[in-house]
């Protein structure tokens, strides 16, 4: 028999207290919640007084085997299809999520819907979606090289949040992604920086086989922008006169605006890529040129991973993001100016930049300690 449980958040009245107790629903034993509303019971003492009386009543019912039956006489509500439920959830997310996040959620959910429909009846009901469906979808995406481990975990977080919202809205009873955990790559460091020899090898391959991706990684290397920030960038974000790229707080992953500088080499690369550009266009779009259709960052990663495999540099911990680390290493070696590295990265403090560089194995040179001048003093007889 289920027990009565009282959740009062250590007397924190800013949270919604509740009591969980057993009931009968459709002939089955279920758990039900009784929320203690703050309007009716505003103080800690009033909440506890109500809870004490309610719990005593429920425990007496359990002892007498007289549980409350909450079975409704209403006609059971129609269970929606997975497609209908996803459409409904996306409309709810529109009210709370930023545009970039919403687009990311749409991409994941539509990919999941397509995968499930191809393997099942296209009209599969949402309550028939199981944990196995989610596992199979994620495993397929990773095995096909369409997702790296971090992207796989991001997909999982999106599915968890989406199904949890369905559960809260009573569209489903159980979140099929709830018990699935993110995975790590034990023994392999992620985003390993490139040597200059490896960097040259990759750039030569991309320049010949994927010119747009060549421009993409060049931007990461020179400006330290994240892949998602480049996917959100528009042509008019580039200041050619002052050799800067403007990243608004809406497009910044950290929600902090920044204006990293770029070199004459990148200036030339950008001018070659932008032939008669429309300055309102997205910088990265379909057909290898700027345009109005956005490209998902996972698509860029997929193309990049294929390139690494083609030149036998896969499986070494290298990723698209490795270009950011590689650029930071080379800049610091050139200037030894932590303040400038901080500016390029858009870090909010020097301590953040200091820790970042140390994590990359930089700023660890202690040879200066062996070159300290000797102090002069008289020996004591």
């Amino acid at each position: 028999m289920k027990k009565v449980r009282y959740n009062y958040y250590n007397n924190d009245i800013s949270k919604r207290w509740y009591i969980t107790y057993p009931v009968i629903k459709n002939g089955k034993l279920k758990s039900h919640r009784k929320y203690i509303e703050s309007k009716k019971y505003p103080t800690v003492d009033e909440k506890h007084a109500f809870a004490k009386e309610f719990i005593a009543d429920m425990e007496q019912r359990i002892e007498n085997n007289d549980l409350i039956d909450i079975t409704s006489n209403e006609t059971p509500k129609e269970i929606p299809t997975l497609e209908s439920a996803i459409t409904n959830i996306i409309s709810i997310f529109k009210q709370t999520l930023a545009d970039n996040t919403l687009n990311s959620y749409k991409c994941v959910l539509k990919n999941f819907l397509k995968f499930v429909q191809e393997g099942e009846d296209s009209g599969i009901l949402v309550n028939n979606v199981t944990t196995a469906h989610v596992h199979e979808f994620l495993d397929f995406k990773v095995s096909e090289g369409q997702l790296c481990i971090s992207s796989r975990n991001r997909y999982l977080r999106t599915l968890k949040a989406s199904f949890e919202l369905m559960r809260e809205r009573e569209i489903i009873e159980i979140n099929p992604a709830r018990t699935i955990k993110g995975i790590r790559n034990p023994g392999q460091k992620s985003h390993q920086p490139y040597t200059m020899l490896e960097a040259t090898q990759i750039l030569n391959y991309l320049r010949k086989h994927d010119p747009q991706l060549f421009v993409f990684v060049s931007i990461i290397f020179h400006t330290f922008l994240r892949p998602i920030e480049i996917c959100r960038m528009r042509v008019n974000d580039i200041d050619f006169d002052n050799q800067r790229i403007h990243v608004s707080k809406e497009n910044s992953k950290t929600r902090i605006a920044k204006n990293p500088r770029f070199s004459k080499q990148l200036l030339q690369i950008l001018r070659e890529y932008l032939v008669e550009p429309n300055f309102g266009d997205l910088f990265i779009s379909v057909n290898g040129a700027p345009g109005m259709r956005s490209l998902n960052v996972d698509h860029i990663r997929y193309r990049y991973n294929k390139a690494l495999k083609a030149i036998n540099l896969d499986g070494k911990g290298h990723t698209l993001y490795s270009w950011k680390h590689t650029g930071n290493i080379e800049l610091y070696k050139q200037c030894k100016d932590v303040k400038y590295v901080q500016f390029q990265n858009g870090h909010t403090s020097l301590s953040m930049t200091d820790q970042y560089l140390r994590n990359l194995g930089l700023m660890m040179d202690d040879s200066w300690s062996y070159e300290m001048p000797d102090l002069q003093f008289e020996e004591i007889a």
Side-chain angles (χ1 to χ4, degrees), residues 18-127:
Y18 63 87
I19 302 165
T20 303
Y21 60 99
V23 296
I24 299 297
K25 183 177 181 181
N26 298 324
K28 294 182 180 180
L29 186 65
K30 299 283 186 179
S31 289
H32 198 66
R33 283 185 181 182
K34 174 66 177 178
Y35 288 96
I36 306 174
E37 301 299 339
S38 294
K39 286 185 179 180
K40 194 171 182 180
Y41 308 100
T43 68
V44 170
D45 289 341
E46 287 174 316
K47 290 177 183 291
H48 283 315
F50 168 80
K52 182 178 180 181
E53 183 177 338
F54 186 87
I55 291 171
D57 180 43
M58 290 302 108
E59 289 179 340
Q60 186 64 49
R61 283 179 172 276
I62 292 173
E63 185 177 339
N64 297 336
N65 198 24
D66 182 28
L67 300 183
I68 297 174
D69 191 332
I70 63 169
T71 303
S72 173
N73 293 324
E74 299 176 1
T75 304
K77 62 182 180 181
E78 184 178 349
I79 299 172
T81 64
L82 175 61
E83 183 172 7
S84 174
I86 286 178
T87 301
N88 183 22
I89 288 302
I90 288 175
S91 68
I92 296 172
F93 279 140
K94 281 182 180 178
Q95 303 169 27
T96 57
L97 298 181
D99 288 344
N100 292 323
T101 306
L102 177 63
N103 288 335
S104 177
Y105 270 53
K106 283 182 179 178
C107 176
V108 174
L109 291 171
K110 288 180 178 179
N111 269 278
F112 179 71
L113 174 63
K114 180 181 178 182
F115 175 83
V116 174
Q117 288 181 333
E118 287 177 350
E120 305 270 352
D121 177 9
S122 61
I124 181 174
L125 299 179
V126 66
N127 66 338

Side-chain angles (χ1 to χ4, degrees), residues 231-248:
C231 287
R232 295 169 179 172
M233 191 172 83
R234 293 190 178 272
V235 175
N236 56 10
D237 290 329
I238 304 172
D239 182 349
F240 289 96
D241 294 333
N242 297 303
Q243 293 178 216
R244 292 172 181 253
I245 295 178
H246 173 64
V247 182
S248 66

Side-chain angles (χ1 to χ4, degrees), residues 249-264:
K249 66 178 182 180
E250 291 79 17
N251 288 341
S252 170
K253 185 178 180 182
T254 59
R255 291 292 180 261
I256 298 173
K258 54 188 175 182
N259 295 278
R261 298 185 179 98
F262 57 82
S263 67
K264 291 181 179 179

